[in-house]
């Protein structure tokens, strides 16, 4: 039995679909690159004898498996028209290649249920990233209620072993959760109205024997900043299907005649180079999507953020003095956090009233911005546009702008409510307020916060239907409008730390605040998880105080700096009160960051965990690598095993040099000649040896970092 196949290739992966007439295309393959021209040869149904007591017509996994006419697994669509049309099946498929060989749109029709689906699929040649997106159009003459529409359905091989997803909470983001795949359905859902701390919209699936560096792994991420759902389900032919999409609140998927529902995109990829290969693909994909002012990323400027220095107690003289001190240590962008606007003296009032507090800033923000600029720094400002405190001018004037359900109490979180910014007048108000600030002052950066989950999210002043989806679309639109009006302004996505980190918000933003927890020990774990999907240059990563405000733990300045400077570096402490020695040390770390940021932020990133509790990451390429080895716990080995660096060129020699003394309190426990030589010009070592046998590790105290550069020696 011959068949028609659709093949998409990238450098290292291939997708193959089979197109039987009058159906949705069948999934035949998503995995490592097949040679050009390689096809399954045979139609799938011709190769699978029917099992006993099954339907007489075999129904394999398609790109859009639908419920009711023979597919018994998770459906890509759950929908009905007042109870009818609950079963759907594709009756016609037209293929439109948008880029021959790598991108297409499948136009699928269900002539009975009167539905059209446009499934877009693109496999990016350079990054190996497969994007999927689905649109559903109601061709009938009555409303259809959609409960679930998968953004895409992906196949996973039957030997898929574990799924690594990320849980967490405020101050504890990117907490790895590893589950074994089996015949139970694996499912994660988020209904908090924002990307959330608890349930990252993405996961990684491993196959047996895969490691950080080797083996076949799959990853997918939903580019969406609201509710979401993903499911991995075992199928009777031994493979798995993986669906991902927006979790729709009841009523949100109601489509009138002629109307369409567009899902967010799935960003998926597979790699035979283990978790680090997967990370490299995600990083490259995000880098290609980022919309930087001027079209290109500038070196990421060192921030000082005022939050932990002052909290709400902003006194202009103190803020200016902090700016003076910040400029002296090398800060390049000064960000005025919460507390600057009308009657904002604590977290119980004022959100919504986006003009400077007249007591704190009697002449507005102008003098402070000018002062910061005169010191050679850019000025940045904190806002939380989507929120309103009941105690605010805005709420007193427009109480019905807050998301609410008529007859139900207002549910506050951090004393605040969420504005229904899908209301044009609310969006207009926010645009006007922020636009006024940006037009009046050379503000180059907004820290855009979102500090609560959504509840009672009904539209139309509490009388309407659920508005979770509308809220996300509205914030994207508001950000896009502000960016168009002020193209030089960068935006940071913050949400009580890392509650809104995803490829969706990153279409409009340029940095994310990874966590309110700046404790360097916690940050090692957070940035390790973050790095699976996102490149380091967008991670706000600050040198905080000791003890850390959120954990009470103390670490040396050197360790705090060594952890922070692999991301987009900032300082979040009151530098006015540091002693001379600490100030000098801080300035030296900032100089290190400025010298290294090009390499830290442009190359590949390899991450790993090694024997004796070491966590490491390396930035660059096989020519020149910056390696950070974090020792978070005391050694449990008499001799720490060497660290293998498989990304190095086995045919080359490397000059290995320790760039700074071991960063941390107490640091080296016992010296050895090799480590003295590393600091004294370095040592030339064989790439194959370093890759297979490893780099010797120093003996150091806990909470220290060993930083070396490995540079290929020219033959
Ligand atoms: C959130 C942010 C913090 C800070 C405060 C201000 O918690 O994550 O960094 O901006 O809001 O209220």
């Amino acid at each position: 039995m011959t068949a028609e196949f659709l093949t998409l290739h990238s450098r290292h992966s291939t997708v193959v679909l089979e197109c039987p007439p009058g159906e949705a295309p069948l999934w035949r393959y998503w995995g490592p690159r097949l040679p050009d021209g390689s096809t399954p040869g045979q139609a799938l149904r011709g190769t699978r004898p029917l099992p006993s007591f099954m339907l007489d017509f075999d129904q394999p996994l398609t790109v859009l498996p639908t419920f009711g006419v023979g597919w018994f697994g998770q459906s890509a669509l759950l929908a009905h028209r007042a109870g009818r049309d609950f079963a759907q099946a594709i009756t016609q498929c037209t293929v439109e290649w948008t880029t021959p060989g790598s991108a297409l749109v499948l136009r699928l029709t269900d002539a009975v249920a009167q539905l059209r689906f446009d499934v877009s699929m693109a496999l990016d040649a350079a990054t190996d990233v497969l994007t999927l997106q689905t649109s559903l159009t109601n061709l009938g003459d009555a409303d259809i209620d959609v409960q679930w529409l998968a953004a895409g359905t992906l196949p996973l091989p039957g030997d898929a072993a574990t799924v690594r997803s990320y849980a967490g909470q405020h101050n504890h983001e990117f907490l790895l959760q590893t589950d074994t795949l089996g015949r139970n359905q694996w499912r994660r859902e988020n209904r908090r109205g924002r990307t959330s701390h608890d349930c990252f919209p993405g996961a990684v699936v491993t196959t047996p024997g895969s490691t950080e560096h080797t083996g076949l792994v799959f990853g997918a991420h939903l580019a969406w900043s609201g509710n979401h759902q993903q499911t991995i389900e075992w199928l009777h032919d031994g493979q798995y299907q993986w669906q991902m999409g927006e979790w729709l609140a009841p009523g949100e998927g109601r489509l009138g005649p002629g109307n369409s529902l567009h899902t967010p995109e799935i960003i998926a990829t597979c790699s035979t180079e283990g978790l680090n290969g997967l990370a490299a693909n995600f990083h490259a994909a995000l880098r290609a999507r980022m919309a930087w002012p001027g079209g290109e990323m500038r070196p990421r400027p060192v921030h000082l953020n005022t939050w932990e220095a002052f909290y709400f107690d902003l006194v202009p003289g103190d803020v200016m003095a902090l700016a003076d001190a910040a400029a002296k240590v090398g800060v390049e962008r000064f960000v005025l956090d919460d507390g600057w606007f009308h009657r904002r003296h604590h977290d119980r009032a004022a959100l919504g009233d986006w003009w400077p507090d007249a007591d704190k800033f009697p002449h507005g923000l102008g003098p402070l911005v000018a002062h910061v600029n005169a010191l050679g720094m850019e000025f940045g400002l904190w806002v939380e546009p989507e929120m309103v405190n009941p105690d605010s001018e805005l709420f007193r004037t427009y109480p019905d702008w807050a998301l609410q359900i008529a007859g139900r109490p207002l549910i506050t979180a951090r004393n605040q409510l969420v504005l229904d910014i899908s209301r044009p007048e609310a969006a207009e108000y926010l645009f006007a307020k922020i636009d006024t600030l940006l037009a009046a002052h050379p503000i180059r950066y907004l820290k855009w916060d979102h500090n609560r989950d959504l509840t009672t999210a009904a539209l139309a002043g509490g009388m309407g239907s659920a508005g979770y989806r509308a809220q996300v679309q509205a914030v994207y639109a508001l950000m896009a409008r502000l960016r168009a009006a002020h193209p030089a302004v960068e935006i940071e996505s913050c949400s009580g730390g890392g509650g809104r980190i995803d490829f969706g918000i990153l279409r409009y933003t340029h940095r994310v605040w990874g966590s309110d927890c700046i404790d360097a020990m916690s940050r090692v774990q957070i940035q390790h998880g973050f790095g699976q999907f996102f490149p380091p240059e967008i991670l706000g990563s600050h040198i905080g105080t000791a003890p850390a405000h959120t954990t009470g733990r103390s670490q040396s300045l050197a360790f705090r700096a060594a952890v922070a400077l692999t991301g987009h570096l900032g300082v979040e402490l009151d530098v006015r009160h540091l002693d001379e020695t600490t100030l000098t040390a801080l300035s030296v770390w900032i100089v290190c960051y400025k010298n290294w940021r090009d390499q830290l932020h442009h190359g590949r990133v390899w991450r790993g965990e090694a024997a004796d509790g070491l966590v490491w990451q390396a930035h660059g390429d096989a020519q020149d690598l910056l390696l950070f080895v974090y020792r978070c716990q005391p050694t449990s080995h008499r001799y720490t095993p060497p660290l293998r660096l498989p990304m190095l060129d086995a045919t080359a020699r490397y000059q290995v040099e320790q760039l700074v003394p071991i960063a941390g309190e107490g640091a080296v426990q016992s010296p050895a000649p090799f480590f003295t030589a590393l600091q004294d010009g370095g040592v030339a070592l064989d790439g194959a040896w370093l890759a297979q046998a490893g780099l010797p590790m120093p003996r150091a105290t806990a909470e220290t970092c060993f930083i070396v550069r490995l540079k290929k020696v020219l033959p």
Side-chain angles (χ1 to χ4, degrees), residues 77 120 156 191 196 203 205 211 282 379 467 494 528 555 576 608 667 681:
L77 177 74
S120 304
L156 288 168
R191 303 174 210 91
S196 90
V205 171
T211 68
F282 279 121
F379 187 83
C494 176
H528 199 70
Q555 298 107 20
R576 292 175 308 162

Side-chain angles (χ1 to χ4, degrees), residues 307 312 337-338 344 382 414 447 449 451 494 496-497 513 516:
W307 179 239
F312 295 102
D337 207 286
D338 201 350
R344 181 70 165 174
W382 181 94
R414 206 195 190 204
K447 177 177 176 183
D449 218 329
N451 279 323
C494 176
W513 182 224
D516 276 350

